[in-house]
Amino acid sequence: MNAIISASDLARDLAGARPPVLLDVRWQLTAAKAAGEPPFDGRRAYGAGHLPGAVYVDLDRELASAPGKAGRHPLPDLAHFGNAMRRAGVSAGTPVVVYDGGQGWAAARAWWLLRWTGHPDVRVLDGGLPSWEGELDTSVPAPAEGDFVPEPGAGLLDADAAAALARSGVLLDARAGERYRGEVEPIDPVAGHIPGALSAPTTENVGTDGRFLPAVELRARFEKLGVTEGARVGVYCGSGVSAAHEVLALAAAGIPAELYVGSWSEWSSDPDRPVAVGPDPR
């Protein structure tokens, strides 16, 4: 099953006999607040217009726990996550399509969580809301309660496992190159990267239109980074959101990967963990 879906294919599926549940996960980093601008309000954006039938899901409150030692976006309490998904109408036997405002990070986080907890049929709308050419709706739907019960599976890394993978496999750092090199760090307490990790900015997985590169180009990109057949691959970022987008890109290229959810926000909060700087992975 392809992990992404085009807007035209989504329109076809919505008109079919087995329409997917739609989740609107619009979210942005609140860095704009530091510049005196109000933080992005995903719920307000949803209220101004969303795909017909879509239910809003709050990344900070429903796809993550409160920030702390485990990072800025730790895993959500699974009972709380399951309640949120059932409220949105998610059932184990019904396909799900997730979208956001176009960046793809938040939608990928929801995709990864649902896949990690056992949902068999989840896709991300390629290009997000801007790719949708149909009408938008402002009403709030009331879907029937779903039956999805999250059951965690494989594919999750903790800090120690990420450190080990950087030595034995391929650990990709999905942040911007300047953050990887330690030249700037606008959010977390320490600049740099996990020793042995390779710089692989998630922004390079998409074209200028915000849509994923073709699978053959994604495979070529990851091969250049050392992702060979059979290699174990892991990804981290600042807080486990943009890294989910890279895991999604790897999936679109046919490459399974694991996610270090705590990511740099957890790693850098522990003074005993080593930090590398500069372009060299070590």
Side-chain angles (χ1 to χ4, degrees), residues 3-89:
I4 58 176
I5 185 171
S6 67
S8 58
D9 285 348
L10 175 57
R12 180 202 63 205
D13 287 359
L14 287 171
R18 192 167 170 256
V21 171
L22 295 176
L23 303 181
D24 183 312
V25 197
R26 274 178 278 179
W27 169 89
Q28 291 179 14
L29 283 171
T30 56
K33 189 176 181 180
E37 301 174 16
F40 177 78
D41 188 336
R43 192 174 294 277
R44 177 176 293 180
Y46 168 84
H50 53 265
L51 268 64
V55 175
Y56 178 71
V57 175
D58 190 313
L59 185 147
D60 290 317
R61 293 176 176 82
E62 296 172 322
L63 304 182
S65 296
K69 289 184 178 180
R72 282 183 280 110
H73 289 104
L75 286 174
D77 174 82
L78 289 184
H80 181 66
F81 171 65
N83 285 335
M85 293 299 97
R86 290 188 293 274
R87 171 191 60 83

Side-chain angles (χ1 to χ4, degrees), residues 99-190:
Y99 71 90
D100 58 24
Q103 188 178 44
W105 295 3
R109 171 71 175 223
W111 167 84
W112 181 84
L113 272 170
L114 282 164
R115 294 290 292 154
W116 176 64
T117 54
H119 199 288
D121 190 350
V122 190
R123 290 171 290 175
V124 169
L125 176 59
D126 198 12
L129 187 66
S131 70
W132 182 253
E133 296 181 354
E135 294 184 358
L136 299 181
D137 193 5
T138 57
S139 63
V140 178
E145 183 87 359
D147 64 15
F148 178 69
V149 177
E151 296 181 2
L156 177 66
L157 298 172
D158 61 14
D160 290 340
L165 185 55
R167 298 188 296 268
S168 64
V170 180
L171 182 65
L172 302 178
D173 185 319
R175 299 173 300 160
E178 58 269 25
R179 290 184 70 191
Y180 170 88
R181 295 188 296 272
E183 298 166 0
V184 299
E185 183 44 67
I187 305 172
D188 295 313
V190 179

Side-chain angles (χ1 to χ4, degrees), residues 185-224:
E185 183 44 67
I187 305 172
D188 295 313
V190 179
H193 61 267
I194 296 174
L198 302 172
S199 180
T202 196
T203 52
E204 295 179 14
N205 295 324
V206 299
T208 56
D209 59 359
R211 302 184 192 188
F212 281 99
L213 299 175
V216 64
E217 294 182 26
L218 289 172
R219 282 194 296 271
R221 179 191 183 217
F222 293 122
E223 285 175 2
K224 288 181 180 179

